[in-house]
Amino acid sequence: MANAALAAGEAGDVPTYITYERREGVAWIMLNRPDYANSQNYRLLGQLDEAFRRAVEDDAVKVIVLGGNGKHFSAGHDLGTPEYDRLMPRERKLLWYDHLGLEGAEAQYALEQDVYLGFCRRWQEIPKPMIAMVQGACVAGGLMLAWVCDMIVASDDAFFQDPVVRMGFPGVEYFAHAFELPPRIARELLMLGERMPASRAHQFGMVNRIFPRAELAAEVEKIALEIAQRPRFGLALCKQAINHVEEARGKRTTMDAVFHMHHLAHAHNQIVTGSLAGGFDGKSMASANKQQAGKA
């Protein structure tokens, strides 16, 4: 059922990790784990997929806004909060078999084909315009959610960061870095792992517009309502046209290649450290990022 995860959350069977509101033709979909900087566990991503489907199937929705409740847009993938759920059953969307019970590299590879790479490719192809409304941190897996959107509108205190080379990875699973940024800047983002302020991301065209945090939601609403005046089919064709340009530039084949490098790194980490993430968890990564930010 299209709204199974949302319905279950509303019924209290599982926590609800996103909120959904339709207002004047705009679906406002908000990540809702503010106590954990909207880090993404697998149930959150499943509910997000259901929310996107709900918005696509609702003829009254013309534009989708994706944001995050609280201080930050998203601190990335859940690396070990109390609600970490890698070993819980989940509804798969692609025709990959279940990762539970698998051994070695196969388990994480099967899981991430669906929930990370697979989801993001599905979401990029959503035929309705999508705006990422970003405030505070947009880190690692947070980048993946912002990058599948057609526009990124950020607060003046937003920052973007992919520090996963510290874990031994070449970047997050949906490897759009060198499509969103010039190659040398993408290398800098990854190799140094520093925070890129919204103002600098705007210079390179990754961010469309910047507003003070207090004005962000109102300004995003203005943009969304303006886009909503365009014909639905024209907007869908526009999205397909730009996606086609990216595919012609090799986006899909690039992502496939780097996804395999990412999983080589997972396998290497398991052999060397016994950990998929090279011995890092959420707290140690956050601590390393804060120490680096303090040196800047």
Side-chain angles (χ1 to χ4, degrees), residues 50-104:
E50 298 292 348
F52 283 145
R53 179 176 290 277
R54 176 176 174 177
V56 169
E57 294 182 347
D58 186 347
D59 286 342
V61 170
K62 306 301 182 185
V63 179
I64 299 168
V65 173
L66 174 63
N69 289 325
K71 185 177 180 180
H72 299 293
F73 174 74
S74 178
H77 296 149
D78 189 337
L79 297 179
T81 73
E83 296 172 337
Y84 181 66
D85 53 5
R86 181 180 179 276
L87 297 180
M88 294 179 63
R90 54 177 298 276
E91 182 183 356
R92 300 181 303 283
K93 303 297 181 178
L94 303 184
L95 294 177
W96 270 88
Y97 43 77
D98 195 346
H99 75 287
L100 293 177
L102 302 181
E103 297 180 346

Side-chain angles (χ1 to χ4, degrees), residues 17-236:
Y17 294 116
I18 63 102
T19 62
Y20 185 104
E21 179 185 9
R22 190 187 74 199
R23 209 168 61 234
E24 296 185 75
V26 179
W28 294 82
I29 300 173
M30 306 294 288
L31 311 180
N32 194 37
R33 297 187 75 204
D35 292 344
Y36 301 106
N38 291 319
S39 60
Q40 306 157 27
N41 61 17
Y42 298 109
R43 286 173 291 171
L44 179 148
L45 293 172
Q47 291 177 21
L48 183 58
D49 187 73
E50 298 292 348
F52 283 145
R53 179 176 290 277
R54 176 176 174 177
V56 169
E57 294 182 347
D58 186 347
D59 286 342
V61 170
K62 306 301 182 185
V63 179
I64 299 168
V65 173
L66 174 63
N69 289 325
K71 185 177 180 180
H72 299 293
F73 174 74
S74 178
H77 296 149
D78 189 337
L79 297 179
T81 73
E83 296 172 337
Y84 181 66
D85 53 5
R86 181 180 179 276
L87 297 180
M88 294 179 63
R90 54 177 298 276
E91 182 183 356
R92 300 181 303 283
K93 303 297 181 178
L94 303 184
L95 294 177
W96 270 88
Y97 43 77
D98 195 346
H99 75 287
L100 293 177
L102 302 181
E103 297 180 346
E106 184 181 17
Q108 196 68 11
Y109 186 86
L111 174 62
E112 293 189 5
Q113 278 281 358
D114 183 80
V115 76
Y116 292 155
L117 185 61
F119 269 174
C120 285
R121 282 177 166 166
R122 278 164 58 87
W123 298 338
Q124 188 193 17
E125 294 177 355
I126 287 172
K128 296 184 179 182
M130 296 173 62
I131 302 171
M133 180 174 65
V134 176
Q135 83 282 359
C138 182
V139 176
L143 292 171
M144 294 166 57
L145 298 188
W147 283 342
V148 301
C149 295
D150 301 290
M151 298 177 63
I152 299 176
V153 181
S155 64
D156 52 10
D157 64 350
F159 66 88
F160 303 84
Q161 183 181 22
D162 190 359
V164 301
V165 172
R166 187 178 288 130
M167 299 176 172
F169 300 117
V172 288
E173 295 84 352
Y174 184 79
F175 191 85
H177 306 65
F179 292 89
E180 298 286 344
L181 294 164
R184 291 192 188 281
I185 305 305
R187 290 188 183 101
E188 176 188 337
L189 181 76
L190 287 162
M191 291 180 178
L192 289 177
E194 295 174 340
R195 297 179 177 183
M196 178 180 287
S199 57
R200 189 158 188 247
H202 181 262
Q203 292 174 6
F204 294 115
M206 192 177 89
V207 167
N208 295 91
R209 301 184 185 184
I210 300 173
F211 299 103
R213 182 186 282 240
E215 302 171 17
L216 180 62
E219 294 295 339
V220 168
E221 185 170 34
K222 289 179 186 177
I223 295 168
L225 291 175
E226 179 63 29
I227 294 173
Q229 303 306 308
R230 282 31 170 191
R232 177 176 62 186
F233 192 41
L235 290 168

Side-chain angles (χ1 to χ4, degrees), residues 208-269:
N208 295 91
R209 301 184 185 184
I210 300 173
F211 299 103
R213 182 186 282 240
E215 302 171 17
L216 180 62
E219 294 295 339
V220 168
E221 185 170 34
K222 289 179 186 177
I223 295 168
L225 291 175
E226 179 63 29
I227 294 173
Q229 303 306 308
R230 282 31 170 191
R232 177 176 62 186
F233 192 41
L235 290 168
L237 292 175
C238 176
K239 288 196 64 165
Q240 284 188 321
I242 302 301
N243 285 350
H244 181 71
V245 170
E246 290 190 310
E247 293 304 321
R249 292 174 177 169
K251 188 174 186 178
R252 187 177 187 88
T253 53
T254 296
M255 284 192 177
D256 283 340
V258 180
F259 184 77
H260 293 136
M261 296 176 199
H262 184 95
H263 280 273
L264 173 61
H266 269 314
H268 177 75
N269 284 343

